[in-house]
């Protein structure tokens, strides 16, 4: 699990929630795929981290880090895809 800190830049890598009510998935309202958000706060919950961001609806809300990636790591992956 990547460490995340307040004010880190993260990018949305998943905006589809799959659960018992939506086994085929449903778009998470307030998140845009590949959009950059600033972590305003965070907390550990079980085996994940909840990051608090201001989402697309201008709501201060917690989302799980599994749906995001640190922006620096994402950029590195994109560069590696190009040079491979």
């Amino acid at each position: 699990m990547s460490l995340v800190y307040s004010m880190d830049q993260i990018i949305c890598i998943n905006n589809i929630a799959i659960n018992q009510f939506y086994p085929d998935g449903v778009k998470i309202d307030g998140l845009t795929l590949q959009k950059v958000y600033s972590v305003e706060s965070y907390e550990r919950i079980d085996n994940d981290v909840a990051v608090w961001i201001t989402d697309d609806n201008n709501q201060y809300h917690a989302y799980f880090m599994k749906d995001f990636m640190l922006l620096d790591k994402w950029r590195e992956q994109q560069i590696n895809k190009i040079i491979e």
Side-chain angles (χ1 to χ4, degrees):
M1 163 89 44
S2 297
L3 294 177
V4 64
Y5 301 99
S6 293
M7 301 316 294
D8 270 349
Q9 296 287 295
I10 56 176
I11 189 164
C12 180
I13 58 171
N14 178 50
N15 65 349
I16 303 297
I18 297 174
N19 59 39
Q20 64 191 25
F21 303 109
Y22 301 101
D24 295 327
V26 64
K27 183 185 178 304
I28 301 170
D29 186 43
L31 293 182
T32 300
L33 202 57
Q34 296 187 349
K35 182 174 178 179
V36 176
Y37 299 90
S38 292
V39 176
E40 298 175 40
S41 183
Y42 66 94
E43 60 187 292
R44 286 201 176 277
I45 298 178
D46 297 327
N47 293 329
D48 204 346
V49 172
V51 289
W52 289 84
I53 64 170
T54 300
D55 65 17
D56 298 344
N57 298 323
N58 206 32
Q59 298 293 312
Y60 183 66
H61 198 284
Y63 296 94
F64 284 110
M65 187 62 194
K66 66 179 178 54
D67 295 323
F68 298 89
M69 180 181 288
L70 291 172
L71 183 58
D72 290 342
K73 183 176 177 183
W74 182 84
R75 286 179 175 157
E76 183 179 314
Q77 281 187 355
Q78 300 312 303
I79 291 169
N80 288 338
K81 286 179 187 176
I82 293 169
I83 61 177
E84 287 180 351

